[in-house]
Amino acid sequence: MSRQRPESEKMLEVRKQLREDLQYLKSSYGIRPEMRRRTKTDEADITHIEKLNLLQAAEALRTVRRELAKYPQEYLQFCALERLRLVKTLQTQEKDLQGEALYTGRAYHEDRILYLATSGEGLYSLQGTLHHELFHLSDSAQIQRNTQMNTYHFSNRRLAHLIYQRMYDHEWEKLNPQEEKAYVGQAYFTHPLRENEKDLEGFALPSGTIDPWEDRATIAGVLLTDPKTTFEKAQRDMVFRAKLERIMALYKERSRGKMDESYFTDLAAGKVIEGYWKKISL
């Protein structure tokens, strides 16, 4: 009969794993996830952060390491992620909602920082939220590049950015039968969908009905988290299929061709794990 090891020995192993994962993320991707309490360096609209304990932090780091391995360096460079904050819960002040709101993740485009909370469940878990928020960063990077390439047309740089964002969103809206009317905006938070409305035509998750940004990011999140189920939905939902094909094309474009059809086949088969990108380059 085996004896249980002392708790202190277990915690030493957890600390060792945590240090190894921090070092790996720093050397492989140039990021060192931050897991401290809220400080003055956090975004101004964040009102509360619940810090992860040691076990939670170690588990979160292992998840981030596993999920980032699904991306080639080219895509992560396109996203230009500079900082990553891992927390248990995240609360922000929302002007449109006239109060505070709990989030599982936030992307701050100008500072190139992601906040990821571990409190979500299912497709809103840390795994899904990481892919969701990273896609937000890649979307903003795309619009920023378009703006920089064409600002000579505009005297106001902010106006140029807004115009290119609207053009980008409008192209996406055309994929919906109702076009822009398919989105409900902030009403999503005050008028939640009933259970029988949650498998919406053309949408990966109910929160995708907020706006085109959330629509794209929710599809990206479920695709990288549960590709098999995502492809199955695309077989019976033609609107969703058109959107999914567009998302996959964007991944391919933003990864310089690395995340192609073969990649997504391998992803669905569970072959995209740590070491995948080195293996296929041989």
Side-chain angles (χ1 to χ4, degrees):
M1 183 172 163
S2 61
R3 297 178 61 185
Q4 189 174 10
R5 290 178 296 174
E7 182 70 19
S8 59
E9 185 177 344
K10 285 185 178 180
M11 296 309 291
L12 284 173
E13 290 186 6
V14 170
R15 290 181 189 279
K16 180 182 178 182
Q17 174 195 310
L18 187 147
R19 287 194 297 269
E20 288 177 353
D21 287 340
L22 281 172
Q23 180 58 40
Y24 179 87
L25 291 169
K26 178 66 175 177
S27 61
S28 298
Y29 307 111
I31 58 171
R32 182 178 176 85
E34 304 165 26
M35 296 172 285
R36 63 181 185 277
R37 291 182 174 84
R38 185 179 182 278
T39 69
K40 292 181 180 179
T41 64
D42 283 306
E43 299 295 323
D45 64 331
I46 293 177
T47 56
H48 178 73
I49 283 176
E50 184 178 357
K51 186 175 178 288
L52 297 166
N53 63 34
L54 182 62
L55 289 173
Q56 293 166 341
E59 184 178 354
L61 282 175
R62 184 47 54 104
T63 297
V64 169
R65 176 173 174 170
R66 183 185 67 241
E67 296 306 311
L68 284 180
K70 294 178 179 178
Y71 297 107
Q73 288 288 349
E74 290 83 354
Y75 180 76
L76 294 173
Q77 289 168 2
F78 185 93
C79 294
L81 173 64
E82 294 184 4
R83 291 177 59 201
L84 178 63
R85 287 284 271 122
L86 292 174
V87 302
K88 185 175 181 180
T89 59
L90 175 67
Q91 193 167 331
T92 69
Q93 184 72 33
E94 295 296 317
K95 293 180 180 179
D96 293 336
L97 300 178
Q98 297 181 343
E100 294 180 326
L102 287 171
Y103 280 90
T104 56
R106 292 294 296 268
Y108 291 87
H109 308 145
E110 292 184 0
D111 295 332
R112 314 309 296 172
I113 179 172
L114 295 186
Y115 283 76
L116 304 177
T118 63
S119 56
E121 298 179 352
L123 292 171
Y124 293 99
S125 66
L126 174 60
Q127 181 182 2
T129 301
L130 170 61
H131 300 303
H132 177 114
E133 299 300 340
L134 262 180
F135 199 84
H136 276 317
L137 277 192
S138 74
D139 254 0
S140 68
Q142 180 77 64
I143 293 171
Q144 187 175 29
R145 291 186 181 203
N146 290 344
T147 304
Q148 290 172 342
M149 290 168 56
N150 297 279
T151 47
Y152 62 86
H153 289 302
F154 303 93
S155 58
N156 186 314
R157 186 176 181 82
R158 178 171 173 77
L159 177 62
H161 184 86
L162 293 173
I163 287 175
Y164 280 101
Q165 178 181 330
R166 183 67 198 115
M167 289 169 59
Y168 183 59
D169 287 350
H170 186 57
E171 291 176 2
W172 179 267
E173 289 167 349
K174 291 179 181 178
L175 297 174
N176 296 304
Q178 294 178 290
E179 297 193 5
E180 73 276 7
K181 293 181 180 179
Y183 301 105
V184 299
Q186 296 301 316
Y188 165 80
F189 296 99
T190 54
H191 296 84
L193 296 167
R194 296 188 297 270
E195 284 298 322
N196 62 356
E197 296 178 311
K198 290 191 175 180
D199 187 15
L200 296 171
E201 180 186 16
F203 293 94
L205 295 170
S207 54
T209 61
I210 296 173
D211 57 35
W213 284 70
E214 288 303 312
D215 192 3
R216 289 188 291 267
T218 52
I219 294 173
V222 299
L223 173 59
L224 270 290
T225 303
D226 189 357
K228 284 186 177 180
T229 302
T230 304
F231 291 138
E232 288 171 1
K233 177 175 172 62
Q235 292 300 312
R236 65 178 186 272
D237 184 338
M238 294 301 101
V239 176
F240 180 76
R241 181 174 181 173
K243 291 182 178 181
L244 178 61
E245 289 174 348
R246 179 60 181 145
I247 292 296
M248 291 170 65
L250 289 172
Y251 270 127
K252 182 177 180 179
E253 175 186 336
R254 295 170 184 177
S255 66
R256 297 185 182 179
K258 294 288 185 68
M259 298 173 75
D260 57 12
E261 188 174 336
S262 296
Y263 161 79
F264 285 107
T265 299
D266 287 345
L267 182 69
K271 297 180 180 179
V272 182
I273 57 176
E274 198 168 293
Y276 172 82
W277 297 106
K278 287 184 179 179
K279 183 178 179 180
I280 64 171
S281 65
L282 297 177

